[in-house]
Amino acid sequence: MTTQVIVLNGGSSSGKSGIVRCLQQVLPDAWLAFGVDSFVDALPARLRGSDGGITFAADGGVSVGAEFRALDAAWTEGIAAMARAGARIIVDDVFLGGPASRQRWEKALSGLTVLWVGVRCDSAVAAGREIARGDRVGGMAASQARAVHEGMSYDVEVDTTHTESLECARVIAAQVTCAPAPPAHVTRTPAPPRDPHARAAT
C-alpha cells in the first residue's frame, strides 16, 4: 500500500521540524507538512493562557481545555480530508496524552495508509536545544522527552541525540512506500490503410 500520511511523535526540541524539512527534500513526491506548533500559533490570542485553551506551566507542563480540544479535532479531521483528497501529508505532533493522542489520529486517518514514527532525543540534549532556540518554556523538553513515548509503538524510530536530521529523514524515507511510476508511453506508428482494391499476389 502507498504511504499517504507520515506521523512523527516526539517531545519538544527533539528535532522533528528539521526531520520534516529533510523529508520534504528526500521523498520523491511533494509532501505537505503540518505541525502542532503551527496549529497553536493559529489559535486566537485569547485561548493562550486560558482554561479553555492552552496553558504552559512554569515547569514546562502543558494543559489544554475544551475549546482547544474542539479546534484540535477539527484540525485533525481537516488534515485527514486533505490526505483523502490525494495530498501526501507529514504531521509533526507531540502525544502529550500518550496512546490516547495517537488514537485520535487513528480515528481521523481511518482507511489511510499511515507510517508512525517515533522521534527520540536524550532529555539533556533536548534541554540544551530548548535553551538555544529561546522560544520555549524552560523544562518542556526534559519533561516531554520520555513521557510522549510511554505506551507507544511505531513503525520506525529515530534518535536525534547523535544523528543529524538528514540521516534520520533517510531512515524514515526508506520505510515509505511510494506509488508505482506510471508505465512509459510508447508511441507506435500506425500501419498504412489497406487498399480495398489490392489483390493478393498469386
Side-chain angles (χ1 to χ4, degrees):
M1 298 291 288
T2 302
T3 304
Q4 296 166 287
V5 182
I6 303 171
V7 179
L8 278 66
N9 172 48
S12 177
S13 300
S14 62
K16 300 187 303 300
S17 298
I19 292 174
V20 169
R21 287 190 292 272
C22 290
L23 277 171
Q24 289 180 302
Q25 289 295 319
V26 302
L27 289 169
D29 300 317
W31 289 72
L32 298 177
F34 297 94
V36 65
D37 286 346
S38 58
F39 166 69
V40 172
D41 288 342
L43 294 173
R46 68 176 182 82
L47 289 185
R48 299 173 194 169
S50 72
D51 291 340
I54 184 169
T55 58
F56 300 94
D59 62 357
V62 181
S63 300
V64 299
E67 287 185 272
F68 179 97
R69 294 182 189 281
L71 291 170
D72 176 70
W75 177 69
T76 303
E77 291 291 344
I79 289 175
M82 284 188 286
R84 291 192 178 93
R88 297 287 182 263
I89 306 291
I90 305 172
V91 176
D92 161 2
D93 205 352
V94 182
F95 290 174
L96 294 174
S101 294
R102 172 165 168 163
Q103 287 166 9
R104 91 185 197 283
W105 277 111
E106 289 176 331
K107 180 180 178 181
L109 300 174
S110 176
L112 296 168
T113 304
V114 183
L115 184 72
W116 300 94
V117 181
V119 180
R120 297 181 181 272
C121 182
D122 178 80
S123 59
V125 172
R129 294 174 183 169
E130 178 180 75
I131 294 171
R133 66 191 298 177
D135 62 351
R136 290 292 186 273
V137 176
M140 186 181 296
S143 67
Q144 295 178 3
R146 284 186 163 183
V148 299
H149 298 293
E150 291 180 359
M152 300 299 301
S153 61
Y154 303 104
D155 297 311
V156 60
E157 295 187 37
V158 293
D159 192 325
T160 66
T161 304
H162 302 295
T163 307
E164 294 295 332
S165 297
L166 181 57
E167 182 58 31
C168 290
R170 286 173 175 156
V171 170
I172 298 166
Q175 303 301 315
V176 174
T177 305
C178 298
H185 180 69
V186 178
T187 302
R188 291 185 173 88
T189 303
R194 184 176 179 181
D195 184 350
H197 300 294
R199 299 179 63 182
T202 58

